[in-house]
Amino acid sequence: MQIQKLSKQYDGKTVVDGVSFSIPKGKVISLIGPNGAGKSTVMGMISRLIAQDSGLIHFEGKEMGKWKSRELSKRLAILTQSNHIQMKLTVRELVTFGRFPYSGNRLTREDQEIIDRAIRYMELETFEDRFLDELSGGQRQRALIAMVIAQDTEYVLLDEPTNNLDIYHATNMMKTVRRLCDELGKTVILVLHEINYAAFYSDYICAFKDGKIAKFGTVEEVITKENLSEIYQVDFEILNIAGKPLSIYY
Amino acid sequence: MKSAVIRANERKLLLMAALVLLCTVGYLLLEVNLANPRLLAYAMKLRVPKVVVMLITAFTIGGASIVFQSVINNTIVTPCLLGMNSLYTLIHTAVVFFLGSGSLIAVNANLAFGVDIVLMGLVATVTYSWIFQKTKHNVLYVLLVGTVLTSFFGSLQSTITRVMDPNEYDALLTTLVASFSNINSEIVLFAVVLLAGVTFAIRKELALLDVLTLGKAQAINLGVDYDRCIRRLLLGVTLYIAVATAMVGPISFLGLIVANLSRQLLKTYRHSQLILGSALFGMIVLVGGQLLVEHVVSYTVPISVFITVGGGLYFLYLLLTRKKV
Ligand SMILES: Nc1ncnc2c1ncn2[C@@H]1O[C@H](COP(=O)(O)OP(=O)(O)O)[C@@H](O)[C@H]1O
Ligand SMILES: [Mg+2]
């Protein structure tokens, strides 16, 4: 996926300003940066949820706008920052929606097997008949990921998947992200607030500031004292733990 | 492989269908002299068309209400907000005022139905398809436009009635309340054809309703052309309401009641079941209500009073018990 000079304005205010980068296939790419830097807006534009004002997105050899929405939904899945589902849905019913791009409302035996596997992958077997609104935040988040897995796309976009999760569940979520990439060969693009999760679990980091890309590169290239201090405007120390540059800020 | 919820709901729907049948048969046969074939034939001639109209109306309003709520993503809205009721009232008032209660349009039911359908269809297409597109498919604009239209039509109508001849006004009033009797079979047939046509035109979008309730972002993620889909559904719903209103007159709270009863009873996201449930509830309320009106309170209270009072109370109950989101 190549992104060229992507821009977006809201009410005359430029929130994404000439963003260009290429997303390496089969890797985990984290977008970091302060609140309001434009990360969610970029995620929205590269997943056709938000229309860009200018710029081009090339996806798998075709311009994004030329893709049929249904075809795209078999190749790219997105989980947005907030998911308020109003309907009474069980976990299994939610995961089943992941097969919609392939089979509509009529599921095949193969679909059922894929759904079973997705539920097992996220260890949700014991909850599969529970309603979503009866689950904890962590369980609900896992159910949503299971739906994404059932959607069986090469690209997976997650906007702040660790939001509102405690340390245990957030860490497990990050391990799952890593497994999606390493075991299932997916390209995962995610927005993260915790810099250390980004540093520990991603291959590449794209740091945003004021609607522009401040730094893009491998973890080692981006996570340096100078870069982070500049992006976040606070003091940072970098410690090398388990071969990863982890940061402390104060 | 069907889940327990689906099967439980199928049983509930079957029970409701049985209730509808019971109400219908009860309505047709109560206090009829079965021994006298001529009296029986006479009673059937009066009652069968009426019951058919009630069943169609219930189906139309019940189904349209569920679809409208799912498009707006809010379960306490009703398609009344679209302004078709007040447009109907305005059209009929204007006809009586400008052309007189003895004019052809006022007297000829078929012609009146045609005029209603054409005008409502026009307003529906312009406001809910064209303007909706212009506002970048923001459903809040729909509610706003609907509210503005409702009060605009309403104030025009009341301006006209203020300068109207009292006798004409009297004649007008009876046509402004919903009535299921004296609707000729040509209108019924035409309404059914129109409803079938609209349903056929939006059949693909109807199949997407379940996915739509996951929200805009999720629906697009799953490959739904969201804007086009809700635009077509909205137009479909408005035309549905237009047909029902042109046929029987304004029915206010019915849709809100039956759609919520259906959602409460079935507790599912499956629209095939929700729509059916809502339609069946509508049939029970209308036919059962009419049965009460004719045979228990012997016409002293019209059914619309029951529906409005009952609907108002139910609406209040919904507002008070609704979980804060
Ligand atoms: N729909 C919208 N209308 C107006 N402004 C918006 C909208 N969405 C986002 N913004 C603004 O765009 C900027 C970037 O937002 P966002 O992409 O959500 O940032 P991030 O995800 O990096 O926190 C913010 O200033 C936000 O207020
Ligand atoms: Mg964000």
Side-chain angles (χ1 to χ4, degrees), chain A residues 39-41 81 159-160 191 193:
Chain A
K39 306 178 297 289
S40 294
T41 310
Q81 213 163 341
D159 196 345
E160 299 197 20
V191 175
H193 262 301

Side-chain angles (χ1 to χ4, degrees), chain B residues 92-171:
Chain B
H92 285 251
T93 309
V95 164
V96 171
F97 181 69
F98 291 111
L99 306 174
S101 59
S103 69
L104 193 60
I105 298 185
V107 174
N108 184 323
N110 289 13
L111 196 59
F113 180 78
V115 169
D116 284 341
I117 286 287
V118 168
L119 286 179
M120 287 187 194
L122 216 66
V123 170
T125 313
V126 169
T127 44
Y128 297 115
S129 191
W130 187 67
I131 294 186
F132 189 39
Q133 208 161 5
K134 292 278 171 236
T135 59
K136 300 203 173 110
H137 300 92
N138 186 336
V139 288
L140 289 178
Y141 280 111
V142 170
L143 296 180
L144 193 67
V145 166
T147 313
V148 169
L149 284 185
T150 304
S151 51
F152 175 66
F153 294 147
S155 52
L156 275 185
Q157 193 258 353
S158 67
T159 308
I160 299 178
T161 53
R162 232 169 280 143
V163 291
M164 207 173 207
D165 175 51
N167 294 323
E168 296 272 84
Y169 182 64
D170 219 36

Side-chain angles (χ1 to χ4, degrees), chain B residues 24-321:
Chain B
T24 309
V25 172
Y27 178 76
L28 289 178
L29 298 184
L30 217 66
E31 293 173 26
V32 168
N33 189 345
L34 290 170
N36 185 335
R38 285 182 55 196
L39 276 179
L40 180 65
Y42 178 68
M44 288 306 116
K45 200 175 152 226
L46 284 182
R47 289 181 186 185
V48 169
K50 206 165 165 182
V51 105
V52 168
V53 169
M54 284 193 277
L55 294 178
I56 296 171
T57 308
F59 173 80
T60 312
I61 304 272
S65 298
I66 289 281
V67 176
F68 184 64
Q69 292 183 342
S70 291
V71 167
I72 304 289
N73 207 356
N74 186 324
T75 56
I76 57 165
V77 295
T78 123
C80 291
L81 294 169
L82 293 167
M84 289 298 125
N85 280 347
S86 49
L87 179 56
Y88 173 92
T89 311
L90 174 63
I91 294 171
H92 285 251
T93 309
V95 164
V96 171
F97 181 69
F98 291 111
L99 306 174
S101 59
S103 69
L104 193 60
I105 298 185
V107 174
N108 184 323
N110 289 13
L111 196 59
F113 180 78
V115 169
D116 284 341
I117 286 287
V118 168
L119 286 179
M120 287 187 194
L122 216 66
V123 170
T125 313
V126 169
T127 44
Y128 297 115
S129 191
W130 187 67
I131 294 186
F132 189 39
Q133 208 161 5
K134 292 278 171 236
T135 59
K136 300 203 173 110
H137 300 92
N138 186 336
V139 288
L140 289 178
Y141 280 111
V142 170
L143 296 180
L144 193 67
V145 166
T147 313
V148 169
L149 284 185
T150 304
S151 51
F152 175 66
F153 294 147
S155 52
L156 275 185
Q157 193 258 353
S158 67
T159 308
I160 299 178
T161 53
R162 232 169 280 143
V163 291
M164 207 173 207
D165 175 51
N167 294 323
E168 296 272 84
Y169 182 64
D170 219 36
L172 171 70
L173 267 188
T174 53
T175 68
L176 295 185
V177 286
S179 156
F180 301 101
S181 32
N182 302 322
I183 293 166
N184 69 47
S185 49
E186 286 143 54
I187 289 181
V188 175
L189 192 69
F190 195 52
V192 169
V193 170
L194 280 175
L195 291 172
V198 172
T199 311
F200 183 77
I202 60 169
R203 68 194 181 285
K204 284 203 180 114
E205 284 75 19
L206 288 172
L208 296 174
L209 277 167
D210 293 352
V211 180
L212 284 189
T213 47
L214 292 177
K216 180 172 178 173
Q218 235 359 303
I220 297 175
N221 172 46
L222 293 172
V224 173
D225 186 348
Y226 187 82
D227 289 343
R228 181 187 138 91
C229 182
I230 57 171
R231 192 176 70 236
R232 290 176 64 93
L233 283 173
L234 195 63
L235 183 60
V237 163
T238 317
L239 293 176
Y240 248 66
I241 297 296
V243 172
T245 308
M247 187 168 70
V248 300
I251 316 178
S252 47
F253 276 115
L254 183 67
L256 182 75
I257 315 173
V258 296
N260 277 289
L261 285 174
S262 174
R263 285 181 194 277
Q264 252 185 357
L265 180 78
L266 302 175
K267 289 193 180 61
T268 178
Y269 66 93
R270 287 191 171 76
H271 283 77
S272 48
Q273 292 190 329
L274 285 176
I275 289 173
L276 193 60
S278 182
L280 290 173
F281 262 124
M283 293 171 184
I284 294 171
V285 169
L286 281 190
V287 181
Q290 195 68 26
L291 194 124
L292 289 182
V293 166
E294 291 186 15
H295 298 284
V296 178
V297 297
S298 5
Y299 290 104
T300 47
V301 189
I303 186 167
S304 53
V305 171
F306 277 122
I307 293 178
T308 310
V309 171
L313 289 175
Y314 185 63
F315 185 67
L316 212 62
Y317 160 82
L318 283 179
L319 282 179
L320 294 176
T321 58

Side-chain angles (χ1 to χ4, degrees), chain A residues 86-97:
Chain A
Q86 297 225 342
M87 285 287 127
K88 260 309 222 197
L89 277 184
T90 65
V91 170
R92 192 180 179 86
E93 286 167 344
L94 177 75
V95 178
T96 302
F97 275 115

